[in-house]
Amino acid sequence: VPDLPELAAARDRNIPIVAWQDLIGELMGEASGQRIAVAGTHGKSTVTALLGHLLTHAGADPTVFVGALVSDWQASVRSGRGEVFVVEADEYAGNFLPYHPSLTVLTTIEMDHPDVFADETAVVDMFERFVRGMSGDEPRLAIPTADPGTARLVARLADWHGRMLPYGPGSDVDAQDVALGPDGMRFALAGHQFNAPLYGAHNVLNATAALVTARELGIDLGGLVEPMATFRGVARRLELIADTAGVLVFDDYAHHPTEVRAALSGARQRVGRRRLWAVIEPHTHARTRTMFDEYALAFDQADEVVVADVFAARDSDTSSPSPEDLADAIERTSAVPALATGSVEETAAYVADHLVAGDAVVTLGIGGSYRIARSIADALALRPRTD
């Protein structure tokens, strides 16, 4: 925001202005120990926060930068005195290029941010540029072996001088005996049994990524069983906003079709047979237009779908299909009732009016969707008690 008062005051006083990515890059460069980046299209915040949580309980006292509020810290940054520096590394417009980690954890690579990337090849190009900019004589790259986008990157790195750390299905570091239930997930890894209050199969892979990284740092996984069970997650990742009037209200940051599918799968795991409402505020016209068909397929775990107006961040072209078009495509493709309801305020009012005791609702998106969840919760709290 060019006219932000703080920026104007800094200019008036000739105070240097540094982009936050460059500042974190400088801090990472000054770190004397392990410099770790968590990168990928999905799951970065959860893996970064979980890794920070595990390292903290293991006594490493790390410094951690997360792109979301971490429940246990009530902050997105943890300032530590140890020799481990961990940062969530965002690929958007090359935001992560100032970082030069010695160890990178990749989660997934998939087409996203169509306002800055023309196609998946451009996305992979950016990740390759990042990996080749890693520091150290033998940088390490933790890779999910079953992810097609990551496989495309690995195929380009035959001449790379670093070391790969495969994890997930098809590797020697793969979760076994996975059980997903209403209280969370359970799995075995490297001879240890882990439990975590996390939901969805995607979070088993996220937990595996954090554990393989901790093990690479020399931490005994047996000592991480207890802290894994106490991880409370990050804000807006299937976050329970309210349990009121017999209705569960959740909020989730999911905005990419893959994330929507994963969030709803986790929600279904958590709420069981309750009627599940999915309320999405599509984020950017560019993403809605580019991924329209994928969105139509992402809602099969829901019983009711509500589509709010598109949140037009950074959009110069607002010619994407309308919310009504998206609702119609979801209903036709996924056989789930879907309706476009207008603004954030109109959407919250509609959903609150139609919820009944025993329902669950999850709001999805980046822009103003969290306000929908809060407004629904407030409306439900005003209902007269029936007991």
Side-chain angles (χ1 to χ4, degrees):
V1 184
D3 58 350
L4 193 71
E6 290 84 352
L7 287 177
R11 294 190 191 98
D12 290 342
R13 292 165 174 78
N14 294 318
I15 297 173
I17 298 171
V18 180
W20 63 267
Q21 301 95 330
D22 293 331
L23 177 60
I24 294 176
E26 289 181 17
L27 294 173
M28 174 176 272
E30 294 172 358
S32 60
Q34 300 282 354
R35 298 180 301 278
I36 302 171
V38 181
T41 308
H42 315 297
K44 296 184 293 294
S45 294
T46 296
V47 174
T48 307
L50 177 55
L51 180 59
H53 175 80
L54 296 177
L55 294 177
T56 299
H57 283 268
D61 196 14
T63 294
V64 189
F65 286 82
V66 186
L69 184 73
V70 182
S71 300
D72 285 336
W73 308 337
Q74 284 302 294
S76 60
V77 176
R78 183 190 189 279
S79 179
R81 297 186 177 184
E83 295 188 349
V84 182
F85 189 106
V86 185
V87 61
E88 177 179 340
D90 178 20
E91 77 277 11
Y92 179 81
N95 282 340
F96 57 13
L97 293 179
Y99 312 155
H100 302 285
S102 54
L103 194 166
T104 291
V105 186
L106 281 181
T107 58
T108 57
I109 298 178
E110 190 176 3
M111 173 59 191
D112 196 11
H113 307 302
D115 55 322
V116 294
F117 295 122
D119 51 29
E120 187 174 307
T121 296
V123 177
V124 177
D125 288 345
M126 184 62 75
F127 277 96
E128 181 182 6
R129 185 178 171 189
F130 173 68
V131 171
R132 292 190 182 277
M134 291 175 65
S135 62
D137 294 333
E138 188 185 52
R140 291 151 294 169
L141 183 65
I143 54 166
T145 50
D147 179 61
T150 304
R152 290 185 62 187
L153 173 64
V154 170
R156 298 182 178 196
L157 296 175
D159 63 337
W160 184 59
H161 68 289
R163 178 162 57 91
M164 303 285 184
L165 306 172
Y167 72 90
S171 77
D172 293 334
V173 188
D174 184 23
Q176 302 294 320
D177 302 323
V178 176
L180 305 175
D183 295 323
M185 64 189 196
R186 183 176 71 252
F187 63 94
L189 187 72
H192 301 284
Q193 295 288 332
F194 292 95
N195 294 275
L198 297 172
Y199 299 87
H202 62 291
N203 273 321
V204 176
L205 194 62
N206 287 337
T208 303
L211 289 169
V212 74
T213 306
R215 189 173 72 170
E216 177 64 18
L217 298 179
I219 295 173
D220 176 22
L221 294 191
L224 301 181
V225 171
E226 184 176 346
M228 178 67 75
T230 62
F231 179 61
R232 295 194 297 152
V234 296
R236 305 210 62 217
R237 273 62 176 181
L238 203 60
E239 179 182 6
L240 180 62
I241 302 300
D243 179 355
T244 185
V247 178
L248 299 176
V249 182
F250 299 94
D251 182 41
D252 200 280
Y253 192 73
H255 52 281
H256 186 286
T258 297
E259 296 167 354
V260 170
R261 189 177 300 108
L264 293 179
S265 178
R268 177 57 71 195
Q269 174 192 335
R270 187 164 183 178
V271 308
R273 298 175 64 87
R274 286 176 180 254
R275 182 171 65 156
L276 179 59
W277 292 70
V279 183
I280 185 167
E281 179 191 47
H283 186 258
T284 78
H285 291 273
R287 185 181 282 111
T288 305
R289 181 170 56 250
T290 304
M291 303 181 183
F292 184 83
D293 292 340
E294 290 87 347
Y295 275 124
L297 294 167
F299 291 86
D300 59 340
Q301 289 292 324
D303 298 300
E304 304 280 348
V305 178
V306 174
V307 183
D309 289 343
V310 176
F311 187 89
R314 308 186 299 262
D315 283 304
S316 57
D317 180 359
T318 60
S319 63
S320 67
S322 69
E324 290 79 10
D325 292 333
L326 182 55
D328 181 61
I330 292 168
E331 189 163 299
R332 286 187 290 104
T333 304
S334 299
V336 179
L339 181 69
T341 47
S343 68
V344 163
E345 294 76 15
E346 291 168 328
T347 298
Y350 173 85
V351 176
D353 285 346
H354 289 80
L355 289 168
V356 299
D359 284 355
V361 56
V362 55
T363 56
L364 306 154
I366 298 180
S369 54
Y370 71 96
R371 292 165 46 206
I372 300 175
R374 303 287 177 179
S375 296
I376 291 171
D378 290 344
L380 292 172
L382 296 175
R383 285 187 178 177
R385 295 186 58 158
T386 57
D387 56 322

